[in-house]
Amino acid sequence: MVNIAAASAFAPEMASRLMRLLPREFQDAFVQSPNVFMFFMSMALAAVLVAAFWMLTGMGKASRAARIALRAQALKRSKDHRALVLIAEIEGGGHELRQEMKEAIEDNFGMFSFENNVQVDLFPIRLKTVPAKAHPETRRRIAVEAADALERSAADVIVWGKRSITGKLDLRITTLPGYGRTHEVQDFHLGWRVGRPDEAVQRALAFALARKARPVLHRPQDYKPDRLQPIVEALDKMVEARPAEISENLQLDILSDFASGALSLGERGGHIKWLSKALDARQRYLDRVDRTTDPGAWGAAQQEIGRALTALGEREGARDKLEEGAARLRLAMDALRATDSLQQAEVALRALQRAEQTLQQRRRVGLRWPG
């Protein structure tokens, strides 16, 4: 226990010793005007402390910048054909959380791409996590900083964010923008339990990053059905599970990619179940998309519904499905022509021509439709 009486007696003696260490002029100034002297001494001490604080802060920033530069150079030198994913610091989450994220990506990335191996690095960069409604310029500056880390390390995608007290991960991911395009950041949430994260949540994280780094299902027709089918089957399980720990916008991405992949399998001679699943998934997606706020997504969804109905009508000999498919494709063309989705509009036009041609052939040869 501290002896307060002894400390009080020692304080004046200590102050006297310190004063004797000062130059003679300072001692005289203290004797003549002690209050003024102590005021200026306090100001000087405060200035020294402030200068020391900023000097240490600057040294910390310089040290962090050096670490980032060295890590980026090392990653760039060792870059190979594999996708490279950077995990930045997660605010409110320690090394254990980032390590679990790393393992989840390594274990599940190949499930949503054609690459079984992926390189994941715990990159020593700290990026701010601002709300989706933050000022666009603030979000742009953060995206530029993230893109700079990607460019310096030759990485494909970077993820960062923060963890709330309840364990929810508020994540951001971005890639290098294409030529002439602006930086885009995707926001989504995951309910991540450190130490025992749910398998569906781990797969959702890997899917989101694989979708950015290796976008397979943006153009599923470019890949052979036998290579595409395992990815579609993995997404089918996620669509059926619908875990509440995954945010709605990420679930919509899963639903959309599954619908596109299943439709591609069904159109190219796959089992008819894929056409039915694609139709159901795309209809569920359409129910959650507003035409006025996102006409491109609404039109693209109508286009795929029309294609699924047309393919089902051809397989089953169902006139009603062919006619409804043609009607959906006309709606899609009207919506897509008002947007920049010219390629989607062309796909809708070709599908519409095919549906109308099938209907005309049936009428010409006088075939009866199944009752």
Side-chain angles (χ1 to χ4, degrees):
M1 186 174 179
V2 178
N3 192 328
I4 299 177
S8 300
F10 179 73
E13 182 182 352
M14 188 65 183
S16 176
R17 290 179 181 178
L18 289 175
M19 287 301 299
R20 284 197 292 269
L21 294 175
L22 296 175
R24 186 68 182 178
E25 293 79 3
F26 281 41
Q27 296 180 27
D28 294 340
F30 176 74
V31 172
Q32 294 174 7
S33 304
N35 292 335
V36 175
F37 176 81
M38 292 306 298
F39 172 76
F40 282 105
M41 285 295 292
S42 300
M43 293 287 289
L45 180 60
V48 170
L49 291 175
V50 170
F53 169 78
W54 286 112
M55 182 178 68
L56 292 174
T57 301
M59 290 173 62
K61 289 182 177 180
S63 175
R64 179 176 291 274
R67 286 179 58 206
I68 292 172
L70 290 173
R71 179 67 67 83
Q73 290 176 7
L75 289 172
K76 195 168 187 177
R77 285 195 299 268
S78 62
K79 184 72 168 72
D80 52 25
H81 69 280
R82 297 175 298 170
L84 174 56
V85 177
L86 304 182
I87 301 179
E89 294 187 9
I90 306 296
E91 182 183 347
H95 177 77
E96 183 182 359
L97 169 62
R98 297 173 74 202
Q99 185 62 34
E100 286 182 352
M101 292 173 64
K102 179 177 185 291
E103 293 173 1
I105 297 166
E106 291 173 341
D107 293 342
N108 297 284
F109 190 91
M111 192 177 294
F112 308 105
S113 71
F114 300 134
E115 298 180 9
N116 291 327
N117 294 324
V118 59
Q119 185 179 0
V120 186
D121 186 78
L122 304 182
F123 200 68
I125 190 172
R126 183 178 300 163
L127 299 167
K128 291 183 179 179
T129 307
V130 297
K133 296 181 180 179
H135 194 279
E137 180 58 24
T138 302
R139 289 177 61 87
R140 189 195 67 82
R141 285 199 300 267
I142 297 171
V144 169
E145 187 178 356
D148 180 65
L150 290 173
E151 188 170 8
R152 291 165 66 183
S153 60
D156 297 282
V157 60
I158 183 171
V159 57
W160 73 96
K162 63 180 179 181
R163 181 175 182 268
S164 67
I165 299 176
T166 59
K168 184 174 71 173
L169 282 180
D170 184 10
L171 297 177
R172 309 285 183 269
I173 59 175
T174 190
T175 58
L176 284 173
Y179 179 76
R181 295 183 176 272
T182 58
H183 297 81
E184 294 182 359
V185 177
Q186 181 184 359
D187 306 15
F188 62 93
H189 302 92
L190 296 174
W192 193 284
R193 296 189 295 270
V194 177
R196 48 187 181 90
D198 188 77
E199 184 180 21
V201 174
Q202 295 184 58
R203 290 183 176 181
L205 174 63
F207 162 80
L209 293 167
R211 191 173 193 262
K212 291 290 185 181
R214 296 290 187 265
V216 173
L217 295 180
H218 288 197
R219 293 182 58 84
Q221 67 276 8
D222 292 347
Y223 306 97
K224 293 181 179 180
D226 58 334
R227 299 192 67 196
L228 194 65
Q229 186 162 333
I231 298 176
V232 177
E233 290 175 344
L235 290 174
D236 188 15
K237 294 178 181 178
M238 297 180 68
V239 168
E240 292 297 326
R242 297 189 222 178
E245 296 85 358
I246 302 174
S247 61
E248 183 178 356
N249 63 333
L250 185 53
Q251 288 196 22
L252 278 178
D253 288 340
I254 295 169
L255 192 63
S256 178
D257 278 10
F258 168 69
S260 296
L263 176 60
S264 181
L265 290 179
E267 284 183 324
R268 292 188 288 172
H271 197 282
I272 198 171
K273 73 173 183 179
W274 293 120
L275 293 174
S276 299
K277 283 178 173 287
L279 180 60
D280 178 65
R282 190 54 76 183
Q283 186 60 60
R284 283 163 53 190
Y285 176 88
L286 186 64
D287 292 341
R288 296 153 75 177
V289 174
D290 187 358
R291 181 177 184 177
T292 57
T293 58
D294 197 348
W298 187 90
Q302 289 284 10
Q303 176 246 107
E304 291 199 357
I305 289 175
R307 286 165 55 196
L309 286 168
T310 299
L312 281 170
E314 292 175 346
R315 295 274 191 95
E316 299 173 353
R319 180 177 180 178
D320 57 338
K321 290 182 178 179
L322 278 169
E323 291 177 342
E324 185 183 353
R328 295 284 190 135
L329 290 167
R330 293 188 189 96
L331 281 175
M333 288 176 58
D334 291 340
L336 293 170
R337 282 170 176 168
T339 68
D340 295 332
S341 305
L342 297 179
Q343 184 178 4
Q344 294 276 8
E346 290 177 2
V347 172
L349 176 60
R350 290 195 297 268
L352 177 60
Q353 291 172 343
R354 177 178 174 178
E356 291 177 339
Q357 184 179 9
T358 302
L359 285 167
Q360 289 174 2
Q361 287 175 348
R362 287 276 181 169
R363 296 191 190 102
R364 188 181 303 119
V365 299
L367 290 177
R368 293 186 177 182
W369 299 90

